[in-house]
C-alpha cells in the first residue's frame, strides 16, 4: 500500500526532475512517476543545454538551488560562451553534452535524494474532490493520494508522431503516449489545444566525411554553468561541425512536399517559429539558396550525430536522399529519421504565477504542457512548481519571481499573462531589463531568495558573500588607485584611445572602449600584485569589468525597474468586477476578467489592455 505523499510529480523530463528534486529538498515526501526510469531528463531533441537567454535561465536555476547546471557541467563535452562580440547582457553560455551521461547523472542524483521515491508507471487520471486534487490513478490500477500534484507530461499527452504519411502514437521515438488526463481536465473546464514540435535525423559519424566540413571547437578557456564548487570546467572537448544545404538538396526536399503532413493539413498544431523544420525554412525563406547545418556529437563514446537545422517530418526516403546530397554527408547512414510530433498543451493563462491552476486547487502544471519549448524553460517551470507545491503545503507565502528579478520571472509572467499561440521560447529580447539579468550575476540576484527558502547551504551562501565582497573591494581599489602615462600610454595608443597627460584612476581608464582589465593587470605591477595577493579569479575580473563598463546603464535600468515595481505593489482584489467599469474598453474587460491579474503591473502587460484602461483602474483604487 502506497503512503500518502506531500507532492506527486508526473513525468521525469527536465521539468519533472527539477520539481521532484526541489520539493524533496524542501523536506516534502515526494513521489516522481515516470513511464521509463531509464530516460530521466532525457534529451529528446538536441544534446545541448543553454544558448541565447536559455543559458541565463540555467544559471538562475542553479542560483535557486536546482540541479540542471550541475548535471550539465558533469556531462559537458564542449563549452562556448555565445555572443562574446556583443555586450555582456547578450553573453549566453552553451554546453554540448553527453546525452546519456546527462540522463544518468540526473537519475543518480534523484535516486540518492532524501524524501524522494520513484515509480515506473503511467498516470491516466487525477483524483479530484471538491475542486481540489488529492491524488492520481495509474494504468497499473494503483491509486496514490497526495496533498499536491505537479503535471510535467511534456509531449506525451495524446502525442502523435509524423514521418511523411506514417503516424505513430508516442511522446517521442520508441516511447508511448499518455491518455486520459487531457480528456478529464477538458471536461472539468480547462482549455486544451495542440502544438507541434519536431526533431531531425540522427546519423552515423563513421559515414561522415569530416574533412569536407568546417570544424567548430569549444572555447580555449571553457567556463561552466554552476556557481558551486561541486563541478569543474570541461577538460577534454569534442568539436561540432558546420555544413550547408544547397539548391539540389532543396529540390529533393520540395519534391516531398506533397507527402508532408505540415502542408497537406494532417498536422493541425502550431510549430515553433524560431526553430522551424527544414521544409518550413524552404517555404518561409524561398529566396535563400542554402541553410546552415550544425553536426553535434551526442556523446563522448558514441558515433551518433544530431543535425541541428534539419528538423523534418518528410518521408524518411526523402530525408535520406536529401542528406546524401549535402557536402560531407554523401555516404551518410542514418540511425533514425526526423519526425514531427503533435501533443496536447493547456492554455497557461489558466495558471497563477505560482504555476498552480486557477480551476483546481493544489494542482500545478510545468513544462511543455504550458506551451513552452526547450529543456531550460521546462526545468525553470519545474523548479518554481516544486518550490511552490512545498510552500502551499506549509501555508507559506509563495515564491513569485518578478520580471526584473530573472528570466524565469519573465518566462512565467509572459505565460500566465499573455498566453501562447505557438511554442514559447525565451530570448533576451523578451526581457526589459537585460543588463540587470546577465548570466554572470544570477547568483547576486537570486542567492538571497534561495537563502530565504533554504534552497542553498550556509556554506554556499558564505562563499557567495565573500565573492561579492571581493568584487566590491576590487572596484574600490580601481577607483582609488592611479596609473601613470609611462605605464599605459603605449597600450592606449595601440587601442586607439587617447593617451594620458597625467595620472588617472585605473577605473576611469577601464571604462574606455576597447580597454580590458586583463591587459591593465598585465601592464601595471601594482594592479598585478593586488590581483595576486587577493586571489582575484578570472570570474571576479570579468564581473568587475562588466560593472565598470556598464555602471551607468545598470543604474538606469535599476531606476526603471523601481518605477515598474511600484505598479507591481498595487494589488488588485480577487473579487473585482471588471464589467462594472464602463470607462474600460470591452476588449480590456474580457481580457482582465479572463486573466484576473494580481496587480496593476501584470494588468498593464495583458495584450488588449491600454494605458488609458490602466489609468481607470488606478483612479478607482485612489491612485
Amino acid at each position: 500500500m502506497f503512503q500518502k505523499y506531500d507532492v506527486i510529480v508526473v513525468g521525469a523530463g527536465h521539468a519533472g526532475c527539477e520539481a521532484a528534486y526541489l520539493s524533496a529538498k524542501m523536506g516534502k515526501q515526494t513521489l516522481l512517476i515516470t513511464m521509463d526510469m531509464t530516460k530521466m531528463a532525457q534529451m529528446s531533441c538536441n544534446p545541448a543545454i543553454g544558448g541565447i537567454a536559455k543559458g541565463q535561465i540555467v544559471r538562475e536555476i542553479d542560483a535557486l538551488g536546482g540541479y540542471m547546471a550541475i548535471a550539465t557541467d558533469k556531462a559537458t563535452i564542449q563549452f562556448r560562451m555565445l555572443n562574446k562580440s556583443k555586450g555582456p547582457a547578450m553573453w549566453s553560455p552553451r554546453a554540448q553534452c553527453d546525452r546519456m551521461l546527462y540522463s544518468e547523472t540526473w537519475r543518480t542524483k534523484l535516486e540518492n535524494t532524501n524524501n524522494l521515491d520513484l515509480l515506473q508507471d503511467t498516470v491516466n487520471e487525477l483524483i479530484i474532490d471538491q475542486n481540489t486534487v488529492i491524488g492520481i490513478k495509474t494504468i497499473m490500477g494503483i491509486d496514490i493520494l497526495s496533498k499536491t500534484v505537479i503535471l510535467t507530461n511534456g509531449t506525451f499527452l495524446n502525442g502523435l508522431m509524423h514521418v511523411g504519411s506514417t503516424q505513430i502514437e508516442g511522446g517521442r521515438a520508441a516511447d508511448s503516449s499518455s491518455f486520459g488526463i487531457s480528456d478529464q481536465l477538458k471536461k472539468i473546464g480547462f482549455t486544451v489545444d495542440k502544438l507541434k514540435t519536431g526533431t531531425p535525423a540522427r546519423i552515423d559519424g563513421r559515414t561522415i566525411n569530416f574533412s569536407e566540413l568546417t570544424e567548430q571547437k569549444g572555447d580555449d578557456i571553457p567556463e561552466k554553468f554552476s556557481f558551486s564548487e561541486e563541478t569543474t570546467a570541461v577538460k577534454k572537448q569534442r568539436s561540432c561541425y558546420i555544413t550547408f544545404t544547397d539548391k539540389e538538396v532543396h529540390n529533393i526536399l520540395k519534391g516531398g512536399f506533397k507527402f508532408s503532413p505540415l502542408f497537406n493539413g494532417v498536422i493541425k498544431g502550431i510549430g515553433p517559429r524560431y526553430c522551424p523544420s527544414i521544409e518550413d525554412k524552404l517555404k518561409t525563406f524561398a529566396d535563400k539558396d542554402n541553410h546552415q547545418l550544425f553536426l553535434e556529437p551526442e556523446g563522448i563514446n558514441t558515433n551518433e550525430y544530431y543535425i541541428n537545422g534539419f528538423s523534418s517530418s518528410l518521408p524518411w526516403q526523402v530525408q535520406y536522399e536529401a542528406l546524401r546530397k549535402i557536402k560531407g554527408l554523401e555516404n551518410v547512414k542514418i540511425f533514425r529519421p526526423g519526425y514531427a510530433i503533435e501533443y496536447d498543451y493547456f492554455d497557461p493563462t489558466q495558471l497563477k504565477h505560482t504555476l498552480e491552476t486557477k480551476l483546481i486547487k493544489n494542482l500545478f502544471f510545468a513544462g511543455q504542457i504550458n506551451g513552452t519549448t526547450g529543456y531550460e524553460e521546462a526545468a525553470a517551470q519545474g523548479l518554481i512548481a516544486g518550490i511552490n507545491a512545498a510552500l502551499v503545503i506549509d501555508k507559506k507565502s509563495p515564491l513569485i519571481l518578478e520580471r526584473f528579478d530573472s528570466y524565469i520571472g519573465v518566462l512565467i509572467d509572459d505565460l500566465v499573462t499573455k498566453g501562447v499561440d505557438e511554442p514559447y521560447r525565451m530570448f533576451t529580447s523578451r526581457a526589459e531589463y537585460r543588463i540587470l539579468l546577465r548570466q554572470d550575476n544570477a547568483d547576486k540576484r537570486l542567492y538571497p531568495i534561495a537563502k530565504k527558502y533554504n534552497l542553498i547551504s550556509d556554506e554556499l551562501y558564505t562563499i557567495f558573500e565573500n565573492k561579492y565582497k571581493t568584487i566590491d573591494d576590487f572596484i574600490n581599489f580601481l577607483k582609488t588607485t592611479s596609473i601613470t602615462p609611462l605605464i599605459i600610454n603605449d597600450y592606449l595608443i595601440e587601442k586607439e584611445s587617447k593617451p594620458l597627460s597625467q595620472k588617472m584612476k585605473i577605473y576611469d581608464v577601464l571604462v574606455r572602449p576597447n580597454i580590458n582589465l586583463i591587459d591593465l593587470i598585465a601592464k601595471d605591477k601594482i594592479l598585478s600584485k593586488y590581483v595576486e595577493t587577493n586571489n582575484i579569479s578570472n570570474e571576479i575580473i570579468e564581473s568587475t569589468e562588466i560593472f565598470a563598463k556598464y555602471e551607468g546603464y545598470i543604474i538606469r535600468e535599476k531606476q526603471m525597474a523601481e518605477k515598474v515595481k511600484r505598479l507591481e505593489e498595487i494589488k488588485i482584489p480577487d473579487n473585482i468586477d471588471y464589467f462594472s467599469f464602463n470607462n474600460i474598453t470591452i476588449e480590456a474587460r474580457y481580457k482582465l476578467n479572463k486573466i484576473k491579474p494580481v496587480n496593476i503591473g501584470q494588468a498593464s502587460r495583458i495584450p488588449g489592455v491600454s494605458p488609458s484602461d490602466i489609468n481607470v483602474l488606478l483612479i478607482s483604487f485612489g491612485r
Side-chain angles (χ1 to χ4, degrees):
M1 182 70 181
F2 281 89
Q3 68 183 75
K4 181 176 180 179
Y5 286 91
D6 294 317
V7 181
I8 291 178
V9 180
V10 181
H14 302 273
C17 287
E18 288 289 2
Y21 176 62
L22 265 297
S23 63
K25 192 175 186 179
M26 295 179 73
K28 302 306 168 201
Q29 293 300 315
T30 303
L31 175 66
L32 176 59
I33 303 179
T34 175
M35 297 167 71
D36 188 344
M37 284 180 57
T38 67
K39 295 178 179 176
M40 292 179 172
Q42 174 88 326
M43 290 180 163
S44 304
C45 202
N46 64 318
I49 296 291
I52 307 302
K54 292 169 176 280
Q56 283 87 328
I57 289 176
V58 179
R59 300 210 98 192
E60 290 174 357
I61 290 169
D62 185 67
L64 287 168
Y67 195 70
M68 177 177 252
I70 293 174
T72 299
D73 289 343
K74 291 185 175 184
T76 294
I77 60 176
Q78 187 197 87
F79 185 96
R80 295 178 65 222
M81 185 66 75
L82 306 183
N83 282 341
K84 265 289 197 176
S85 62
K86 300 180 180 179
M90 304 296 287
W91 295 359
S92 300
R94 185 180 190 271
Q96 287 294 138
C97 292
D98 185 310
R99 182 171 58 84
M100 290 170 283
L101 179 58
Y102 180 84
S103 179
E104 180 186 320
T105 301
W106 256 112
R107 176 168 175 170
T108 300
K109 184 64 179 179
L110 295 174
E111 283 189 355
N112 293 280
T113 295
N114 294 332
N115 308 312
L116 179 58
D117 292 340
L118 307 174
L119 176 65
Q120 182 168 298
D121 203 343
T122 300
V123 175
N124 60 355
E125 187 178 344
L126 301 175
I127 304 173
I128 296 171
D129 181 39
Q130 296 181 348
N131 292 328
T132 301
V133 69
I134 61 170
I136 55 92
K137 294 177 180 286
T138 78
I139 61 170
M140 295 282 194
I142 304 172
D143 292 3
I144 309 174
L145 299 181
S146 179
K147 296 175 183 176
T148 61
V149 174
I150 304 173
L151 295 183
T152 68
N153 303 71
T155 60
F156 285 79
L157 291 179
N158 294 330
L160 183 64
M161 295 181 289
H162 301 266
V163 183
S165 59
T166 301
Q167 296 181 351
I168 307 165
E169 288 183 349
R172 64 176 165 233
D175 291 313
S176 60
S177 301
S178 173
F179 302 98
I181 292 177
S182 289
D183 292 340
Q184 180 189 12
L185 293 179
K186 193 171 184 178
K187 288 176 183 176
I188 290 171
F190 283 89
T191 300
V192 186
D193 210 334
K194 291 281 187 187
L195 285 176
K196 189 259 329 176
T197 189
T199 191
R202 307 304 197 271
I203 58 177
D204 187 341
R206 295 171 298 178
T207 62
I208 298 171
N209 184 359
F210 291 103
S211 65
E212 293 291 322
L213 308 180
T214 302
E215 186 176 10
Q216 185 182 60
K217 295 183 177 182
D219 289 347
D220 292 336
I221 305 176
E223 299 179 40
K224 65 189 187 84
F225 272 100
S226 181
F227 291 103
S228 76
E229 296 179 354
E230 183 177 339
T231 62
T232 57
V234 61
K235 291 180 172 59
K236 182 181 179 182
Q237 300 191 69
R238 284 196 67 176
S239 294
C240 296
Y241 295 86
I242 300 171
T243 187
F244 292 85
T245 62
D246 58 25
K247 286 184 177 181
E248 187 177 9
V249 175
H250 293 181
N251 288 335
I252 294 171
L253 293 170
K254 289 174 182 177
F257 278 7
K258 57 181 174 292
F259 305 110
S260 171
L262 282 180
F263 302 141
N264 62 20
V266 173
I267 290 180
K268 306 296 183 185
I270 303 298
R273 180 160 43 107
Y274 300 103
C275 188
S277 65
I278 188 66
E279 49 263 47
D280 273 329
K281 289 180 187 177
L282 298 189
K283 283 276 190 179
T284 306
F285 308 105
D287 58 323
K288 288 199 69 173
D289 292 334
N290 62 62
H291 292 283
Q292 190 173 49
L293 305 175
F294 294 88
L295 273 61
E296 302 176 353
E298 294 263 359
I300 284 287
N301 299 311
T302 180
N303 291 313
E304 188 173 3
Y305 275 78
Y306 173 96
I307 315 176
N308 197 332
F310 203 81
S311 175
S312 179
S313 60
L314 289 168
W316 74 267
Q317 300 96 326
V318 176
Q319 295 184 42
Y320 184 56
E321 186 182 350
L323 283 171
R324 285 197 152 210
K325 295 298 180 181
I326 295 171
K327 187 177 181 180
L329 306 185
E330 292 85 356
N331 298 306
V332 79
K333 293 181 180 179
I334 61 174
F335 285 140
R336 190 192 76 198
Y339 62 88
I341 179 169
E342 286 186 289
Y343 56 94
D344 289 349
Y345 83 101
F346 300 93
D347 178 359
T349 62
Q350 299 169 107
L351 302 174
K352 303 175 184 177
H353 277 82
T354 59
L355 297 183
E356 182 183 12
T357 69
K358 295 174 182 176
L359 282 177
I360 301 296
K361 188 178 179 182
N362 297 343
L363 176 63
F364 294 77
F365 293 168
Q368 281 187 272
I369 65 168
N370 288 337
T372 61
T373 181
Y375 310 143
E376 303 82 4
E377 291 89 342
Q381 294 170 70
L383 175 134
I384 296 300
I387 292 170
N388 282 320
L391 292 173
V392 79
I393 291 168
D394 292 337
K395 296 181 169 56
K396 291 183 178 179
S397 297
L399 171 59
I400 297 175
L401 298 176
E402 305 289 356
R403 298 182 74 88
F404 37 79
D405 287 330
S406 61
Y407 275 92
I408 298 176
V410 174
L411 164 68
I412 293 175
D413 185 61
D414 278 353
L415 292 176
V416 304
T417 302
K418 301 174 183 177
V420 300
D421 54 13
E422 64 179 350
Y424 180 100
R425 179 180 179 180
M426 179 53 70
F427 291 99
T428 51
S429 58
R430 295 191 190 273
E432 301 92 328
Y433 310 105
R434 293 188 289 279
I435 296 177
L436 298 182
L437 308 184
R438 305 184 311 275
Q439 56 84 30
D440 68 287
N441 71 346
D443 55 346
K444 186 174 185 179
R445 292 183 278 116
L446 298 175
Y447 263 27
I449 295 174
K451 185 69 173 65
K452 175 184 175 182
Y453 291 97
N454 295 315
L455 302 174
I456 58 172
S457 66
D458 291 338
E459 179 185 6
L460 200 55
Y461 196 75
T462 299
I463 293 171
F464 154 74
E465 289 182 312
N466 291 337
K467 170 185 171 181
Y468 280 94
K469 183 182 184 304
T470 301
I471 290 174
D472 290 342
D473 289 344
F474 192 24
I475 290 171
N476 184 60
F477 174 83
L478 297 174
K479 286 184 173 181
T480 56
T481 305
S482 297
I483 194 167
T484 65
L486 183 62
I487 291 173
I488 200 66
N489 274 352
D490 286 347
Y491 171 70
L492 295 179
I493 293 169
E494 178 189 333
K495 293 292 183 177
E496 298 181 351
S497 187
K498 184 180 179 181
L500 306 186
S501 57
Q502 59 186 23
K503 286 184 178 182
M504 181 179 281
K505 296 293 185 279
I506 299 174
Y507 191 88
D508 294 330
V509 175
L510 176 60
V511 298
R512 292 185 178 190
N514 302 322
I515 306 301
N516 68 71
L517 188 49
I518 288 288
D519 288 344
L520 296 183
I521 292 168
K523 297 288 181 184
D524 190 326
K525 289 182 180 179
I526 295 175
L527 178 54
S528 177
K529 186 176 181 181
Y530 180 92
V531 168
E532 183 180 347
T533 303
N534 292 277
N535 295 316
I536 305 295
S537 65
N538 287 335
E539 180 186 12
I540 288 174
I541 290 172
E542 182 179 275
S543 293
T544 301
E545 181 168 350
I546 289 171
F547 178 83
K549 290 188 177 296
Y550 291 86
E551 183 178 12
Y553 297 103
I554 292 169
I555 291 170
R556 192 182 310 158
E557 277 205 357
K558 281 183 177 178
Q559 291 171 343
M560 291 168 59
E562 284 300 318
K563 290 180 180 179
V564 172
K565 189 175 182 179
R566 289 197 284 271
L567 291 179
E568 307 290 332
E569 291 169 351
I570 304 174
K571 303 301 179 184
I572 298 177
D574 291 337
N575 59 352
I576 190 168
D577 179 13
Y578 292 104
F579 291 104
S580 67
F581 289 85
N582 294 325
N583 292 333
I584 291 179
T585 63
I586 293 175
E587 180 186 8
R589 282 180 245 171
Y590 276 102
K591 291 287 184 69
L592 289 164
N593 190 62
K594 176 186 176 184
I595 305 298
K596 298 189 186 306
V598 295
N599 57 53
I600 290 293
Q602 185 191 2
S604 70
R605 293 188 292 273
I606 296 173
V609 178
S610 69
S612 61
D613 296 324
I614 295 300
N615 284 335
V616 172
L617 291 176
L618 286 171
I619 291 168
S620 72
F621 298 148
R623 298 300 183 109

